[in-house]
Amino acid sequence: MGEVKSAWVARAPSNIALIKYMGKSDSFRNIPENGSLSFTLNRLCTVVELEKGVRSETDASSLRWLPEKPCSEKLTLDAESDAESPTELEQWLRVPSLGNAGISRMIRHVERVREAARARYSEFGIALSDDLPGERSASWILRSANTFPAASGIASSASFFAALTMAAAAACAKEIEAFSQAWERDSAFRSFLAGISREGSGSSCRSFDGPYVEWEGEMIHRVESKLPELAHFVLLITEQGKEVSSSEAHARVKGSPLWSGRVERVTARLARLREAIRSGDMAEVSRLSWVEFWEMHSLFHTSADPFTYWQPATLALLQQLSGAVKSSAPPIVTMDAGPNIHVLVEATRASEWSEKLSHWMGGGKVLRDSQGAGPRLLFPAGARGARG
Ligand code: DP6
């Protein structure tokens, strides 16, 4: 009889901020200067597998990396389907190709999850596994796959850290049923996991719920919405990597003369956006999101060491979209720290918008997604269906 594989597999979606996290008050723990609010995606996600193996004498570290294998970008997943089994996923999962700094960041994060589990699992009625991930008694292998191009400007660090947190947190539990019950029934447990994830990468904490999530300080919460169901598009202007990482952008924006007053302005805007989502005022959500991404990019363009993510095509498309946002049924337009443009429209008008955007893109790639609800543990099977 073959040996049963000990593995924990989780998927987590990316999210796109309408009010941005830009500027940190504590960069060690990723505490933001201001609250932010995002829309959780669905199929644009990362799957992470943590596998426990037998530790060999030659293993230098307790997490093994084989950086020659690139991370897969060909996986497609549909959150509504139940077709994701570890056997089907197996062909896509790869050890991510990372430099030394990236590897240390991953190992540090698994250790962070383990130490938080050690300190707090008893509060949530979860017994600790005898063999915690990242400890020296076993060899742990991390594999992952994205459903989107890594350099597409979609926040892969958000989905990656959320999925890694889920997989590592599940691996810390002695009984997967206890973990699943806490995840399904206890919102304090979900916030606890989101908080650990935030320390890995700030925006990942907003991927723990959906479709509208507000993050303030160390807390996240879902914002009730009367907006219609939305469809999401990414206009992929380039798939090249960015020259300024978002971590660096967080530091550089404080050197802009426009930084002064930013926290007050964005806090007032966040309050208006929250209210517009609650009351279902799509036109107001569109207006506020438009101003917010322009303000964030203006901070980039005017920092002491100025930089831009824009390409000529970014501006051409924004000109087209500036007409649309003034219409009676406006789309929500926003940009992340990258050249690509995100457009959210009423799901009932998705086909019409898909055609229009493809036409404007002149054959360039347009990714399409829908609204999502947060991470899920895919394996072990005892935890299936956690927060569907
Ligand atoms: C522009 O979460 O990537 O996407 O905490 O340093 O990992 P770190 O930063 P990160 O910053 C994301 C910034 C943003 C806006 C946002 O998502 O709110």
Side-chain angles (χ1 to χ4, degrees):
M1 216 170 78
E3 221 181 287
V4 180
K5 180 169 159 175
S6 285
W8 290 262
V9 185
R11 65 177 280 175
S14 186
N15 68 77
I16 176 71
L18 303 180
I19 295 290
K20 310 294 181 183
Y21 154 50
M22 189 38 64
K24 306 183 189 186
S25 65
D26 176 345
S27 55
F28 188 67
R29 300 185 57 232
N30 290 335
I31 305 291
E33 286 281 0
N34 58 270
S36 58
L37 200 160
S38 59
F39 176 85
T40 305
L41 302 178
N42 183 6
R43 281 168 35 232
L44 297 178
C45 65
T46 301
V47 178
V48 167
E49 177 194 66
L50 261 185
E51 184 193 351
K52 185 170 74 175
V54 180
R55 183 162 162 71
S56 93
E57 288 307 312
T58 52
D59 279 345
S61 89
S62 51
L63 280 173
R64 219 142 40 90
W65 299 87
L66 307 166
E68 72 276 9
K69 286 190 182 173
C71 185
S72 164
E73 292 168 358
K74 296 195 182 74
L75 173 68
T76 52
L77 279 179
D78 191 338
E80 281 97 52
S81 93
D82 262 1
E84 317 119 358
S85 75
T87 341
E88 284 167 69
L89 286 169
E90 196 73 24
Q91 57 177 319
W92 302 113
L93 295 164
R94 300 279 185 277
V95 175
S97 148
L98 295 165
N100 286 342
I103 294 174
S104 308
R105 195 175 171 201
M106 298 309 133
I107 294 180
R108 172 80 199 96
H109 192 66
V110 173
E111 288 170 353
R112 183 183 282 132
V113 176
R114 184 185 68 209
E115 293 318 311
R118 224 184 224 133
R120 305 263 319 264
Y121 264 21
S122 60
E123 276 173 51
F124 301 108
I126 305 171
L128 278 180
S129 160
D130 299 328
D131 216 352
L132 293 168
E135 285 199 326
R136 300 274 152 176
S137 53
S139 165
W140 291 79
I141 302 170
L142 186 156
R143 297 186 191 86
S144 75
N146 289 332
T147 60
F148 49 83
S152 62
I154 295 160
S156 61
S157 77
S159 50
F160 181 87
F161 276 91
L164 176 57
T165 304
M166 273 303 270
C172 287
K174 196 180 191 102
E175 309 278 347
I176 204 63
E177 287 73 20
F179 175 87
S180 294
Q181 282 192 5
W183 172 254
E184 281 164 35
R185 297 184 194 156
D186 189 349
S187 61
F189 183 60
R190 295 196 294 270
S191 298
F192 162 67
L193 294 186
I196 306 169
S197 197
R198 186 203 75 236
E199 294 194 17
S201 178
S203 54
S204 70
C205 70
R206 293 186 315 233
S207 282
F208 273 75
D209 212 324
Y212 299 94
V213 179
E214 188 174 337
W215 164 29
E216 181 76 57
E218 300 191 36
M219 299 303 295
I220 61 148
H221 69 267
R222 186 170 48 208
V223 175
E224 293 309 320
S225 162
K226 286 203 177 129
L227 290 173
E229 187 180 334
L230 300 182
H232 167 256
F233 295 95
V234 191
L235 312 185
L236 267 191
I237 286 161
T238 171
E239 293 183 42
Q240 272 170 12
K242 47 191 179 190
E243 276 169 27
V244 178
S245 69
S246 46
S247 285
E248 199 180 332
H250 284 288
R252 286 216 218 166
V253 288
K254 294 193 178 176
S256 160
L258 305 180
W259 178 256
S260 155
R262 160 77 182 157
V263 174
E264 293 73 23
R265 271 196 313 281
V266 73
T267 305
R269 193 175 293 140
L270 171 61
R272 286 172 62 194
L273 183 76
R274 188 193 303 123
E275 218 23 68
I277 291 171
R278 282 186 183 149
S279 64
D281 186 346
M282 185 83 175
E284 178 74 345
V285 174
S286 165
R287 263 192 303 275
L288 294 164
S289 305
W290 179 265
V291 173
E292 172 63 5
F293 89 76
W294 276 89
E295 184 167 306
M296 180 175 78
H297 282 263
S298 303
L299 287 167
F300 300 155
H301 298 164
T302 56
S303 76
D305 187 1
F307 58 102
T308 187
Y309 294 107
W310 292 15
Q311 301 275 330
T314 310
L315 194 54
L317 283 158
L318 286 176
Q319 273 170 341
Q320 300 272 23
L321 286 159
S322 69
V325 294
K326 285 183 273 184
S327 70
S328 56
I332 298 164
V333 178
T334 191
M335 292 179 68
D336 222 327
N340 306 315
I341 302 175
H342 296 249
V343 182
L344 297 157
V345 302
E346 280 191 35
T348 51
R349 296 183 58 205
S351 308
E352 175 197 329
W353 270 100
S354 172
E355 259 177 49
K356 193 188 309 216
L357 295 172
S358 300
H359 176 68
W360 287 349
M361 285 291 282
K365 251 198 229 168
V366 179
L367 306 181
R368 179 166 164 180
D369 202 359
S370 53
Q371 54 192 46
R376 282 201 295 147
L377 197 66
L378 302 180
F379 188 81
R384 272 212 62 87
R387 296 229 75 207

